[in-house]
Amino acid sequence: MHRTADRWIALVVLSLAQLMVILDSTIVNIALPTAQHELAFSDGNRQWVVTGYALAFGSLLLLGGRLADLYGRKRLFIAGMAGFAIASAAGGAADGFGVLLIARIAQGAFAAMLAPAALSMLSVTFADDARERGRAFGVFGAISGAGGAVGLLLGGVLTQNLSWRWCLYVNVVIAAVAIAGALAFLADRDRPARTRLDVPGTVLALLGLFGIVDGLGNATSDGWTGFRTLAPTAAGVVLIVVFVLVERRVRAPLLPPPVVLDRNRGAAYLAIGISGAGGFAVFLFVTYYLAETLEFTPLESGLAFLPMVGLVMVGAMVSGAVLLPRVGPRPIVPAGSLLTAAGMALLTGLDADSTYATGVLPALLVIGLGLGLIFGPGQNAATSGVRSHEAGVASAMVNIAQQVGGSLGLAVFSSLGTTATAGYLTTHASTAADPATIAEATLTGYHFVFWIAAGLFFGGAVLSAGLFRGGPLAAGPGAEQFVTQQSGKA
């Protein structure tokens, strides 16, 4: 098969991996109530099924990215995919909470190997042609932006029609297809001479990221002043500061400083982090509104996000394939942030009498288009211009930005929504037990969250416009090497 056709098939394989990693952060949420009832575990334990995955994934990403650079991206991709499938099968067959939790932690650990390997392979595979690279990252970015909504839909379908266990078993099917495709169509580029793994940096990064993700995850239940929130978050921040100082002095750092200090890459990580945080305002609180106010079933709620998914894909592919090679990310990412901010502002108009078609749908369409303009160009910019042997850690930073941003968004927005709702009930104490007052208080919380999210995306637009360089992106990692190798094959 011609190499051009080969690499588009490789894109499909890598996109399957990205879809699996992203949708698994939401698909299990739909299945949790049913799993909890069947396995008889407590509400406190239920949260750990979500948190265990997030902690393992977020804390091990930098290590996974570096291992891909040192030992081969294809090797890490296949190992991560196989491990993820085995962990998913174990979780689906779980007969108690302990097995399910261990399976979810293992899923997160293998996802931390898989995700940066997939993104770095994509970056190297499409390194030699800016237009094809833009198209490829458009597709990949669309999947990154839409995977959470797909997870909600798929989780609803599987839980409602088969069993909650199939929300885990489905990964085995996806992994089998992806592994077969990887063996046939993925190829590693030449790697540099092996260097010793930065053990001090690895330990500091792992513990620091673990502390931050854990602390932010506790904020929803323990509040921002609770010990289980402040202690791990503060410790994590301190460890990351120490990690940065250490990385400036070691010969072969886990995260080479130039990877994140480049203006384009730094702006891209920031934009992706803001999108991860703000995206939770859409998925979480719009889902609440659909379920509690419009009384949608889980399946109907999942279907309600499909138009947004479609616009994410349109925005990512058009911006990646048509706009990015011509003008670069500087005008595109801020425009996407402004569109998303406008969509969030539209959601503040929802009330008890709104309908899906006139209230929710227009906002989701605007948000979907905006997120599409952020994800495709953002992921492309985040991995452009790095050396081939640093593509793994550059890709890991994309996932870290999204993961930490998502954890921060979940904690902050949940806290803000609860505070705004409680404040409304306090000021209407005489009718606080009235269902109409409770419904209005709930909507007040939603509106406050959507306004804050709109402000966050507006701030992201300003920062992106100031940080991104003008003009098209530099060549992707390994472009010269890629062309040389392919010429030798001809």
Side-chain angles (χ1 to χ4, degrees):
M1 186 180 289
H2 192 272
R3 71 173 182 88
T4 300
D6 277 358
R7 64 181 180 181
W8 287 107
I9 298 175
L11 171 63
V12 174
V13 173
L14 297 171
S15 297
L16 276 176
Q18 180 73 355
L19 176 64
M20 189 174 72
V21 170
I22 296 295
L23 70 80
D24 233 69
S25 63
T26 57
I27 190 173
V28 173
N29 293 353
I30 300 294
L32 265 181
T34 307
Q36 181 183 8
H37 176 74
E38 183 175 323
L39 300 181
F41 53 84
S42 67
D43 289 344
N45 285 340
R46 180 175 68 180
Q47 180 60 33
W48 275 103
V49 177
V50 177
T51 305
Y53 178 88
L55 285 174
F57 183 46
S59 60
L60 292 170
L61 272 167
L62 263 184
L63 176 60
R66 192 58 178 154
L67 290 176
D69 287 334
L70 293 178
Y71 299 105
R73 289 176 277 268
K74 179 177 178 179
R75 185 178 300 173
L76 263 290
F77 179 89
I78 293 174
M81 187 67 76
F84 199 99
I86 293 170
S88 298
D95 58 357
F97 170 73
V99 175
L100 181 59
L101 177 60
I102 292 171
R104 287 289 287 166
I105 292 172
Q107 278 186 313
F110 285 112
M113 296 169 55
L114 173 63
L119 183 55
S120 58
M121 287 200 77
L122 177 72
S123 190
V124 171
T125 300
F126 289 90
D128 61 322
D129 187 311
R131 189 170 295 278
E132 287 196 354
R133 180 179 170 88
R135 292 193 186 102
F137 271 90
V139 173
F140 201 79
I143 289 170
S144 298
V150 173
L152 294 174
L153 172 60
L154 189 58
V157 171
L158 294 174
T159 302
Q160 193 165 307
N161 295 293
L162 292 173
S163 163
W164 67 269
R165 297 179 184 276
W166 273 98
C167 292
L168 294 164
Y169 287 147
V170 68
N171 294 321
V172 179
V173 179
I174 296 174
V177 175
I179 289 173
L183 292 171
F185 298 105
L186 296 187
D188 260 337
R189 310 298 163 216
D190 291 338
R191 299 190 303 277
R194 295 269 179 91
T195 57
R196 183 176 297 178
L197 183 65
D198 172 19
V199 176
T202 299
V203 173
L204 288 168
L206 193 155
L207 294 177
L209 289 170
F210 184 94
I212 291 171
V213 175
D214 181 44
L216 294 175
N218 292 329
T220 303
S221 58
D222 289 51
W224 285 99
T225 58
F227 178 79
R228 293 186 66 247
T229 300
L230 287 177
T233 303
V237 171
V238 170
L239 287 169
I240 291 299
V241 171
V242 176
F243 166 73
V244 171
L245 296 176
V246 168
E247 295 303 276
R248 296 175 63 184
R249 290 171 171 80
V250 297
R251 179 177 297 179
L254 179 71
L255 177 62
V259 170
V260 291
L261 294 179
D262 177 80
R263 277 180 56 183
N264 275 349
R265 287 192 291 275
Y269 297 140
L270 180 65
I272 291 169
I274 289 173
S275 299
F280 270 93
V282 180
F283 293 129
L284 186 63
F285 289 92
V286 172
T287 300
Y288 286 164
Y289 178 81
L290 293 173
E292 296 173 4
T293 303
L294 300 186
E295 298 182 346
F296 278 25
T297 66
L299 177 58
E300 289 171 334
S301 295
L303 289 170
F305 282 101
L306 274 185
M308 188 190 86
V309 171
L311 265 292
V312 169
M313 292 183 173
V314 169
M317 288 188 282
V318 170
S319 64
V322 179
L323 301 177
L324 189 67
R326 298 178 182 178
V327 300
R330 188 174 187 179
I332 302 173
V333 175
S337 299
L338 289 175
L339 274 175
T340 309
M344 292 291 183
L346 285 176
L347 288 173
T348 64
L350 294 176
D351 57 35
D353 298 319
S354 297
T355 66
Y356 171 74
T358 60
V360 178
L361 181 59
L364 290 185
L365 293 177
V366 175
I367 290 170
L369 183 59
L371 289 176
L373 295 178
I374 296 170
F375 277 112
Q379 289 183 330
N380 194 334
T383 56
S384 288
V386 294
R387 292 175 293 182
S388 180
H389 63 276
E390 295 172 348
V393 291
S395 301
M397 283 300 301
V398 174
N399 291 282
I400 289 171
Q402 196 166 9
Q403 182 69 27
V404 173
S407 297
L408 183 61
L410 179 62
V412 171
F413 289 131
S414 295
S415 177
L416 290 175
T418 300
T419 301
T421 298
Y424 185 94
L425 291 173
T426 300
T427 57
H428 297 77
S430 60
T431 59
D434 189 334
T437 302
I438 294 173
E440 189 60 34
T442 302
L443 285 170
T444 299
Y446 296 167
H447 293 164
F448 187 56
V449 165
F450 293 140
W451 277 123
I452 296 298
L456 180 65
F457 277 106
F458 181 80
V462 174
L463 290 172
S464 297
L467 288 174
F468 274 116
R469 297 190 187 93
L473 291 170
E480 181 179 347
Q481 176 188 14
F482 181 92
V483 173
T484 300
Q485 289 176 351
Q486 293 301 334
S487 298
K489 292 180 184 179

